[in-house]
């Protein structure tokens, strides 16, 4: 039995980079959602913390996550993100999920 793969990334924009970060992250949504094996790819923002964004990703399995990581849009993200934000990503395993 395969297990879904959940990733949550918290990104905090570097000073003066909020708009560029938002544009980069918004550009990931459509192509990521169109990938086979993608179940969820959502972008959240904290109105109390300008410049803080959360990517909420869910894949059918680890192979789908690896396919995502090989895409041109994700490779562009990887090449750009360090200039725009501090990033913390969590690769989560299912425990108790409704």
């Amino acid at each position: 039995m395969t297990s879904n793969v959940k990733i949550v990334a918290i990104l905090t924009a570097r000073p003066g980079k909020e708009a560029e970060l938002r544009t980069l992250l918004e550009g990931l949504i459509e192509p990521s959602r169109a990938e086979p094996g993608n179940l969820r790819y959502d972008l959240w923002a904290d109105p109390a913390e300008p410049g803080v964004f959360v990517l909420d990703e869910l894949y059918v399995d680890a192979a789908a996550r690896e396919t995502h990581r090989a895409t041109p849009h994700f490779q562009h993200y990887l090449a750009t993100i360090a200039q725009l934000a501090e990033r913390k990503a969590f690769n989560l395993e299912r425990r108790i999920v409704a």
Side-chain angles (χ1 to χ4, degrees):
M1 179 179 163
T2 61
S3 181
N4 294 145
V5 173
K6 175 81 165 169
I7 299 170
V8 174
I10 301 170
L11 303 113
T12 303
R14 297 191 187 285
K17 299 293 184 178
E18 294 86 354
E20 287 178 75
L21 176 59
R22 183 177 58 248
T23 298
L24 175 67
L25 298 175
E26 288 175 352
L28 291 170
I29 302 301
E30 186 177 328
S32 297
R33 286 180 175 172
E35 296 167 16
N38 179 276
L39 299 172
R40 170 168 232 99
Y41 205 93
D42 296 330
L43 178 61
W44 296 81
D46 184 346
E49 295 284 338
V52 175
F53 298 91
V54 177
L55 278 174
D56 180 11
E57 308 171 39
L58 185 62
Y59 302 92
V60 295
D61 57 21
R65 177 195 57 208
E66 294 310 312
T67 296
H68 168 68
R69 289 181 173 177
T71 62
H73 54 273
F74 186 76
Q75 290 301 308
H76 172 70
Y77 163 84
L78 283 181
T80 309
I81 194 61
Q83 302 163 39
L84 303 179
E86 293 291 327
R87 176 180 173 266
K88 179 89 175 165
F90 301 91
N91 289 279
L92 305 173
E93 295 178 352
R94 179 184 302 266
R95 291 294 183 251
I96 301 171
V97 179

